[in-house]
Amino acid sequence: MVITQTTSSDGKSSRHRVRNQITEMILSRKLKPGQRLVQERLAKEFSVAQGVVRESLLELSCCGLVDAVDNLGVFVSELDGAKVVEALEVREVLEGLAARLCCQHASREDIKKLDQLVTRIYLLGQEGKNDEAALLDREFHHRIVETANSGTLQAVTTSHWTLQLVLKMSFDVEIVYKAHRSIIEAIEKNAPDEAEQLMRDHIRSARNLVEQQIAEGNFVPEWLC
């Protein structure tokens, strides 16, 4: 098979596709923790150049899904509570900033969509459909960052999302709904300090839960797929 040289745009598209496919394989356990990832084999499987695979694995290394070991190669990461805590610490800062910036950029339509989204999350949680609610919770956080209208912030935040946002976590429906509504209300009334603090508090509560479970020896990470 001959692999032709791609344009920079095509190369970016290929890298994102390969990154997403490898991510799905890791989260679905098709690729097991500790398994070595052979770039040549993956390049053939995805019909791309090895350089595309190398760049995709570098991105996955940044978000904690793979580990690069000198002179040995790249391996699927073990699920690790410490990595989840680190990702949450960074997200607290970045998404706090996102909520602040939303006060400048959120339109009435943006506010309406966020409000509809948190209502759906609440209703699903009440019905006991926690996995579906968690997936929509992920969408809520993505939408806050997108609404912040900062390409740089969105790019930086993405590398810290995957590890935690696909993790199953128990949550109190009422507490989460109240937190989401408070954030939206602060954005709607253009209160950047309040919006930032509320978002940081919201993410910190998740980090505190993980840290408590780790301390008690009850943290058993499981991917949300």
Side-chain angles (χ1 to χ4, degrees), residues 12-24:
K12 183 177 181 180
S13 177
S14 295
R15 187 176 76 251
H16 288 176
R17 174 176 61 83
V18 171
R19 181 194 64 196
N20 292 339
Q21 287 177 308
I22 296 175
T23 297
E24 183 178 348

Side-chain angles (χ1 to χ4, degrees), residues 109-125 132-147 176-177 180-181 184:
E109 185 63 22
D110 291 327
I111 296 295
K112 179 180 178 181
K113 289 180 178 179
L114 286 170
D115 192 48
Q116 291 173 339
L117 188 55
V118 299
T119 299
R120 288 168 60 198
I121 294 169
Y122 176 70
L123 293 176
L124 285 170
E132 294 179 48
L135 288 170
L136 285 184
D137 182 81
R138 174 169 61 184
E139 183 179 340
F140 171 78
H141 286 271
H142 274 281
R143 192 165 293 181
I144 288 287
V145 173
E146 289 173 354
T147 304
V176 170
Y177 178 70
H180 285 170
R181 283 294 314 147
I184 294 172

Side-chain angles (χ1 to χ4, degrees), residues 47-48 53 55 77 113-114 130 184 198 202 211 216:
S47 299
V48 296
V53 174
E55 292 172 357
S77 296
K113 289 180 178 179
L114 286 170
N130 291 342
I184 294 172
L198 287 168
H202 176 48
E211 289 177 327
E216 296 173 349

Side-chain angles (χ1 to χ4, degrees), residues 22 25-26 30-42 50 57 66-78:
I22 296 175
M25 293 167 73
I26 292 173
K30 184 176 181 180
L31 294 172
K32 307 293 186 183
Q35 182 175 340
R36 184 170 179 267
L37 301 176
V38 181
Q39 294 182 24
E40 182 178 3
R41 186 181 304 159
L42 291 171
Q50 286 191 49
L57 292 178
V66 303
D67 293 316
V69 181
D70 289 345
N71 301 319
L72 292 178
V74 179
F75 300 83
V76 177
S77 296
E78 299 285 345

Side-chain angles (χ1 to χ4, degrees), residues 20 23 28 72-73 83 103 127 144 154 158 162 181 186 215:
N20 292 339
T23 297
S28 66
L72 292 178
K83 290 181 180 179
C103 293
E127 294 171 6
I144 288 287
Q154 188 168 351
T158 298
T162 304
R181 283 294 314 147

